[in-house]
Amino acid sequence: MDFDETPEEAAWRAECRAFLDQHSTVKAAGAPRNTMSTLSDDEHAHVQRCRDWQRTKAENGWAGLTWPEEFGGRGLTGLQQGIFLEEEHKYDLAVGMFAQAIGMVGPSIVVHGTEEQKKQFLPSILRGEQVWCQLFSEPNAGSDLAALRTKAELDGDEWVITGQKVWTSSAHVADWGMLLARTDWDAPKHRGITYFLVDMRSPGIDVRPLVQATGGAEFNEVFLEEVRIPKENVLGEVNGGWAVAMTTLTSERADIGAGHGDGFAGVLRLAQQYGRVNDPVVRQELMKLYTSYQISKYIGFRTRTAASKGIAPGPEVSTMKIAISDRLAFQGDLVESLMGADGMLWGSDAIDDGYWQTMVFMGQWMARIGGGTEDVQRNIVGERVLGLPREPSNDRTTPFRELPH
Ligand SMILES: Cc1cc2nc3c(=O)[nH]c(=O)nc-3n(C[C@H](O)[C@H](O)[C@H](O)COP(=O)(O)OP(=O)(O)OC[C@H]3O[C@@H](n4cnc5c(N)ncnc54)[C@H](O)[C@@H]3O)c2cc1C
């Protein structure tokens, strides 16, 4: 494992900083900010800032870093992109709204799209003209995504879609959606699914934001009632959507090693503010938290070292997710116990504008569930690292309509 960057990686980090310095400034240190908001004006302004920054990146050749050059990208590695994202997060910039467009659907169109689809979507995705959402999960198809029951039927030159999606991040501000629907009920469950590109303004789409306990509402339920999608908007083969979905989901992980920031300093500051740092039990808990941050940092180094040598990420990505999930659970309890009765306060009544209650305690489940729950990650480690047998199942051979529902 290498703890230092190679000279090339360090040079790339410096190049990223030089570009970012031209367009923004590093965020001021200080109290953490509670960015969870239900105010739609705020949100629309944020989306617009994200669009503007994405366009600036495109104009300067910094959009789609891992995309092939022939499609307007830079052809760089996931590791280089990870370094860029780490630096970008340090600056006062609006980011995040294009993660699904640039990180998920774009790479899927590059691999599976027709020439027309590439021309229609890729340049405008890079320029920040299209916010995308991912219409995969359903009320009974999350961890077991291939159990989805939204149906698509061909009618002339159009597919007609009816069903329900849930947990669709950003659907309420999205221009386009990547949609999985069942097109063959007699095939085994993974083989009867088709991947569609759907205009979110199509008649029959009803997006209803789900307000979370945090007060934020960035997920939605999406109801589809006889939504018509032209045949040209099938991505990949009809009934071959599972392979396309796998491209989408693995592309999501391309930014290897990014984002395992150090939140320990903030928790330590909170303990100091509450005068708890001399309490021996609190000191022990803080030490445990520090150790946990160090563990995920080193797992991140391991992933990066492998990536530097051209080795694809393996099950250590799952161990990383488990380590982070365990830490988020522990950290949530710790910050609440540090604040004592103050932990029950909310919003501007609370210290740091409610950041600890909202983003750290309640927000922990976003990262613990999104991108595959920690239980699912444990199954992966069980099967791929410990060599335990897969759970017995007949769902890979039985026609979908015969499976229990
Ligand atoms: C922040 C966030 C953003 C999201 N954004 C999107 C989005 O934009 N688009 C989208 O389509 N979806 C999105 N999701 C949905 C996400 O993919 C699902 O929540 C996730 O896959 C889990 O599915 P589920 O919620 O249906 O839970 P379920 O799959 O029903 O799981 C319920 C519980 O059972 C456990 N469990 C399930 N199967 C197993 C098993 N085989 N072994 C052991 N335990 C198991 C789970 O760990 C969990 O504790 C998002 C979720 C979050 C939290």
Side-chain angles (χ1 to χ4, degrees), residues 15 29 38 59 64 153 170-171 262 276 300 323 392:
E15 197 182 327
T38 45
E59 284 166 357
E153 289 169 330
S170 309
D262 185 5
R276 303 290 305 278

Side-chain angles (χ1 to χ4, degrees), residues 108-338:
S108 308
I109 295 174
V110 165
V111 175
H112 302 278
T114 61
E115 285 313 307
E116 290 70 31
Q117 288 170 340
K118 288 174 184 164
K119 273 194 219 125
Q120 181 184 353
F121 294 108
L122 297 179
S124 23
I125 287 176
L126 283 181
R127 288 195 300 267
E129 289 161 7
Q130 292 172 6
V131 173
W132 281 73
C133 65
Q134 182 197 22
L135 297 152
F136 283 14
S137 303
E138 297 184 5
N140 290 308
S143 303
D144 185 12
L145 179 59
L148 60 92
R149 301 184 77 84
T150 291
K151 71 171 181 208
E153 289 169 330
L154 193 58
D155 178 24
D157 284 340
E158 292 176 324
W159 288 91
V160 183
I161 318 283
T162 297
Q164 186 198 338
K165 299 290 173 178
V166 74
W167 309 126
T168 321
S169 311
S170 309
H172 57 302
V173 290
D175 305 294
W176 285 86
M178 12 175 175
L179 168 77
L180 294 181
R182 190 160 300 281
T183 37
D184 185 348
W185 298 70
D186 294 314
K189 71 178 180 187
H190 297 85
R191 289 193 239 140
I193 294 170
T194 300
Y195 193 122
F196 297 91
L197 307 174
V198 59
D199 182 339
M200 288 302 286
R201 294 185 185 90
S202 308
I205 298 187
D206 181 11
V207 178
R208 301 185 197 166
L210 289 165
V211 180
Q212 300 145 230
T214 54
E218 67 272 15
F219 309 115
N220 303 271
E221 293 180 293
V222 179
F223 295 86
L224 301 121
E225 188 64 45
E226 301 197 349
V227 177
R228 302 188 85 85
I229 302 181
K231 262 164 73 175
E232 302 74 59
N233 285 11
V234 168
L235 185 61
E237 302 293 323
V238 171
N239 295 327
W242 190 251
V244 188
M246 288 305 104
T247 306
T248 303
L249 295 173
T250 46
S251 304
E252 191 183 4
R253 300 196 195 115
D255 51 343
I256 300 155
H260 49 82
D262 185 5
F264 177 75
V267 179
L268 179 60
R269 204 188 105 252
L270 188 71
Q272 286 161 341
Q273 277 172 304
Y274 277 93
R276 303 290 305 278
V277 278
N278 291 324
D279 177 330
V281 176
V282 169
R283 291 174 79 84
Q284 198 168 314
E285 302 288 83
L286 286 170
M287 199 55 223
K288 264 197 224 163
L289 183 66
Y290 178 78
T291 309
S292 163
Y293 268 104
Q294 294 300 102
I295 289 171
S296 30
K297 186 165 103 185
Y298 290 123
I299 300 175
F301 280 147
R302 220 172 122 181
T303 320
R304 281 192 163 188
T305 306
S308 284
K309 294 178 182 156
I311 302 167
E316 68 270 18
V317 175
S318 294
T319 58
M320 163 88 105
K321 174 92 201 247
I322 295 167
I324 291 174
S325 294
D326 287 350
R327 183 181 71 230
L328 290 171
F330 179 72
Q331 178 172 268
D333 290 349
L334 176 58
V335 299
E336 282 295 333
S337 76
L338 289 174

Side-chain angles (χ1 to χ4, degrees), residues 14-143:
E15 197 182 327
C16 295
R17 281 196 196 136
F19 167 67
L20 292 163
D21 280 335
Q22 282 170 18
H23 297 278
S24 183
T25 47
V26 174
K27 280 180 216 161
R33 277 188 299 173
N34 180 359
T35 53
M36 202 68 74
S37 163
T38 45
L39 296 175
S40 59
D41 284 353
D42 281 3
E43 189 165 21
H44 286 291
H46 173 71
V47 174
Q48 189 53 48
R49 282 188 68 210
C50 288
R51 285 185 195 272
D52 294 345
W53 172 231
Q54 183 61 33
R55 200 184 54 247
T56 303
K57 284 197 282 189
E59 284 166 357
N60 291 279
W62 286 78
L65 294 180
T66 54
W67 287 25
E69 288 178 41
E70 63 175 307
F71 301 115
R74 293 271 291 265
L76 301 178
T77 63
L79 180 61
Q80 287 168 305
Q81 165 151 293
I83 291 173
F84 176 75
L85 292 178
E86 256 179 23
E87 291 304 319
E88 189 185 42
H89 272 95
K90 294 177 190 164
Y91 285 74
D92 191 13
L93 291 162
V95 293
M97 210 34 85
F98 290 94
Q100 309 201 38
I102 303 281
M104 296 172 87
V105 75
S108 308
I109 295 174
V110 165
V111 175
H112 302 278
T114 61
E115 285 313 307
E116 290 70 31
Q117 288 170 340
K118 288 174 184 164
K119 273 194 219 125
Q120 181 184 353
F121 294 108
L122 297 179
S124 23
I125 287 176
L126 283 181
R127 288 195 300 267
E129 289 161 7
Q130 292 172 6
V131 173
W132 281 73
C133 65
Q134 182 197 22
L135 297 152
F136 283 14
S137 303
E138 297 184 5
N140 290 308
S143 303

